[in-house]
Structures are given as C-alpha cells and as structure tokens.
Amino acid sequence: MDLHPHKVKLIDETAKRLGHSIIETAAGDGKKSVERFGTEQFDRILVDAPCSGLGVIKRKPDIKYSKTADDFSRLQEIQVDLLDQAAQLLKKDGILVYSTCTVDSTENRGTAERFLKEHPYMEKIEVSLPETLGLKNSGFVQVFPQDFGGDGFFISAFRKTQTS
C-alpha cells in the first residue's frame, strides 16, 4: 500500500518488468490496513517505510535542508504504526520485512528493536549480505553510501510465531 497512486503504479510496473507476479499493491493508508483487509491475511509483507531519506542524500541533497530533529521522532512513530498494522495482517509463520533508505539508527535499528519489544509474538530473522561484501553482520543489514558508492539503506526481517 502507498498513499500515492502514482507510486503504486511504479511498483506494479517494476514488478511486471522483473517478472514478479505475486506482488499485490493497493493505494491507501497503510496505518489503516487492518481495517481494510482484516487480520491474518498475508504470508509475506514488505514495509518500505517512509523515512528521512538520509541514505539517498547524494541524489537528493535538498534533504539536508528540509529535515528537522522533530521529523526523526515523528517518522519513527509512523514506522512503528505501519509495522504494527503489518504484524496484525500476517498469518502465523508469516514474514515481515522492514526497510528504509536512511542511515539514521533511530529510524532503523531503534524502530526494529522497539517493534520487537512491543510485539513479543514476532521474532527477528537474521538478515545478512554475502560475507564477500565485507559488511559486519548484526542480523540487520545496514548499508552506508560509502560501502558501495550507492545509496544507504537498512533491512530487517521478522517472523510471526503465534497469532496476535
């Protein structure tokens, strides 16, 4: 789900181009997804959360002028709300992937750890990149722009161990 229909269209076009047929998209407010779909309806969910975008600052330098300290705590609340909704949507043993395009530890690790603390029926799944890439594995993936000369991003994953 995305608030913006044009972004949903981009996701659909990219999925089609890549040959992915299992992706379902919808325009709407992800913070109201349980109201829309009901609980325990999905096997897999990706929450590519709205974030500060600090990982793409090289491509979007205006970010450094548009973000305030309050934005970071506000964004984390939105991220936690989206993750909470996603957890309710998952079937038992379902997998939830949480990602951002930021390098801010509060939005990334902080949000993932808060989510786990507030949702004891969810467990962390170890996520890692191949050792040959030389990144330290902490069970979460944090890539910084300087690591590969691209964007910075964060990925974490969780499994639902019981019904919520």
Side-chain angles (χ1 to χ4, degrees), residues 71-161:
D71 289 332
F72 292 94
S73 59
R74 182 182 57 79
L75 285 164
Q76 186 185 46
E77 292 307 314
I78 292 169
Q79 294 161 359
V80 169
D81 288 347
L82 291 171
L83 288 170
D84 177 65
Q85 289 284 304
Q88 293 178 63
L89 291 171
L90 275 179
K91 296 176 185 175
K92 183 179 182 298
D93 295 321
I95 295 175
L96 168 60
V97 174
Y98 164 66
S99 68
T100 67
C101 64
T102 191
V103 295
D104 179 69
S105 63
T106 300
E107 289 181 83
N108 294 337
R109 179 178 289 278
T111 298
E113 290 175 351
R114 176 178 165 187
F115 172 72
L116 285 169
K117 183 178 179 183
E118 294 176 4
H119 298 82
Y121 55 89
M122 300 295 291
E123 68 180 5
K124 176 180 169 183
I125 299 173
E126 297 292 315
V127 179
S128 64
L129 294 173
E131 288 182 28
T132 55
L133 295 177
L135 295 177
K136 183 179 175 189
N137 180 16
S138 67
F140 299 127
V141 170
Q142 176 67 71
V143 174
F144 294 98
Q146 66 270 21
D147 290 337
F148 304 109
D151 293 336
F153 60 90
F154 175 83
I155 304 170
S156 57
F158 314 96
R159 177 179 288 110
K160 189 170 188 176
T161 58

